Amino acid sequence: MKRIIHWEDIIMKNTELYKLLEIPNEVVNRLNQYQSERNICVPDSLAGRILVRSEWDAAVKELQGLVGDDPDGIKILWELLNIVCRYSYSEYVKMGISMDVFVDTMKYVTRFLNEHYDTYGCYRFVWAWWFPREISLSEYRIGALEYELVDGYEREIAVHIPSDADFSPESVDSSLESFHRFRDTYYPDWKDVKFTCDSWLMVPELKELLGEGSNIIAFQNRFVIDSIDREATWFLGWVYPGAGEDYEALPEKTTLQRNMKRYLLSGRKFGVAKGHMKI
């Protein structure tokens, strides 16, 4: 089903959004520069496709082609934030969802900008492919965790763990309780849908790398593991930001990094796993 954007609806100014999200000043200046020089017209039909799960991958790629050379991702970031201002904010207002949830959810952008700066010493936005989840009101941050309403072959509520989250059991409990209230208020027809998590944090071998007292293991123990993909390597970017896939050169700054490095150098595969939350 196509989603229609009504541009005359309630909108937020781009500058106001940047302030709410606490986007770094350097990035704001570059966004404003792009806006002043912008010479493209994004069809409403293309913007609308970014709101549809089955189409958003192709639509983001088409939008990237439309903005042209964009090595730091600032152009497409402006285009996507502009849709937030003109569509997402309006939908939040219409549904009566709080501004706190809106800001916490959209700060996904700020978090990844800052993490890229911390890792590489410069601001780049390389997560445009994920942003439609927030833009289309398919994903919300409620407390420590993010919850994605996946209306695919079968429905599931995919739980995501932001890197800046307080991951203590108490914080996770609070987030889950708050999301249950949120779901029951705004998405009551999702009440009996299962919670899932597809992450390197689900891999059972973490128990031997971290020990049973870890908050990660406490979170993992909330789930039944359904599948493990031993060939996946994207977990390396989370455990070793910016380090690449040369196991010998991996840093050893944390207990997890040290233990994971020994694990990988021993020839064992790690991967990612998916599970569903215990009732």
Side-chain angles (χ1 to χ4, degrees), residues 170-221:
E170 297 79 13
S171 179
V172 172
D173 284 340
S174 176
S175 175
L176 287 166
E177 290 169 6
S178 296
F179 177 74
H180 287 154
R181 292 192 294 271
F182 177 89
R183 176 203 58 194
D184 293 349
T185 300
Y186 301 106
Y187 295 94
D189 58 327
W190 286 71
K191 189 170 183 177
D192 297 322
V193 175
K194 67 180 179 181
F195 289 76
T196 64
C197 186
D198 188 358
S199 172
W200 65 276
L201 296 170
M202 292 287 102
V203 176
E205 281 77 6
L206 278 173
K207 290 183 173 67
E208 66 182 83
L209 300 182
L210 293 174
E212 289 286 350
S214 164
N215 285 340
I216 290 177
I217 301 308
F219 180 79
Q220 187 184 105
N221 287 339

Side-chain angles (χ1 to χ4, degrees), residues 13-208:
K13 292 182 179 179
N14 292 53
T15 52
E16 183 181 356
L17 180 63
Y18 305 160
K19 185 176 181 179
L20 284 171
L21 303 190
E22 299 179 304
I23 292 178
N25 288 334
E26 179 183 329
V27 177
V28 171
N29 291 336
R30 287 153 68 186
L31 288 167
N32 290 337
Q33 180 180 354
Y34 170 69
Q35 181 176 351
S36 68
E37 300 172 350
R38 181 173 179 260
N39 60 2
I40 65 169
C41 179
V42 177
D44 289 358
S45 58
L46 174 56
R49 287 171 54 214
I50 288 175
L51 309 173
V52 181
R53 178 176 295 272
S54 62
E55 297 189 40
W56 66 35
D57 288 341
V60 168
K61 290 179 181 178
E62 186 174 333
L63 181 58
Q64 288 174 322
L66 191 61
V67 301
D69 186 43
D70 187 24
D72 55 8
I74 294 299
K75 295 178 182 179
I76 196 162
L77 176 58
W78 186 94
E79 298 292 347
L80 295 174
L81 288 173
N82 192 49
I83 298 175
V84 171
C85 289
R86 296 179 176 272
Y87 170 78
S88 309
Y89 174 67
S90 172
E91 291 300 300
Y92 268 80
V93 171
K94 291 175 184 176
M95 293 179 67
I97 301 174
S98 76
M99 181 63 74
D100 287 342
V101 173
F102 173 79
V103 171
D104 288 347
T105 299
M106 298 304 170
K107 271 190 172 180
Y108 141 87
V109 167
T110 313
R111 184 171 77 251
F112 280 106
L113 284 169
N114 287 332
E115 287 180 0
H116 195 279
Y117 185 88
D118 290 343
T119 301
Y120 299 101
C122 62
Y123 291 111
R124 290 184 66 209
F125 186 65
V126 297
W127 285 79
W129 61 277
W130 187 272
F131 202 7
R133 290 164 174 79
E134 288 80 12
I135 295 173
S136 65
L137 282 73
S138 296
E139 182 173 300
Y140 298 92
R141 180 162 185 176
I142 309 291
L145 304 174
E146 294 169 332
Y147 302 87
E148 181 184 356
L149 308 178
V150 182
D151 202 355
Y153 177 73
E154 62 178 26
R155 282 184 165 186
E156 59 185 280
I157 299 173
V159 182
H160 304 297
I161 304 97
S163 57
D164 63 346
D166 173 359
F167 207 41
S168 66
E170 297 79 13
S171 179
V172 172
D173 284 340
S174 176
S175 175
L176 287 166
E177 290 169 6
S178 296
F179 177 74
H180 287 154
R181 292 192 294 271
F182 177 89
R183 176 203 58 194
D184 293 349
T185 300
Y186 301 106
Y187 295 94
D189 58 327
W190 286 71
K191 189 170 183 177
D192 297 322
V193 175
K194 67 180 179 181
F195 289 76
T196 64
C197 186
D198 188 358
S199 172
W200 65 276
L201 296 170
M202 292 287 102
V203 176
E205 281 77 6
L206 278 173
K207 290 183 173 67
E208 66 182 83

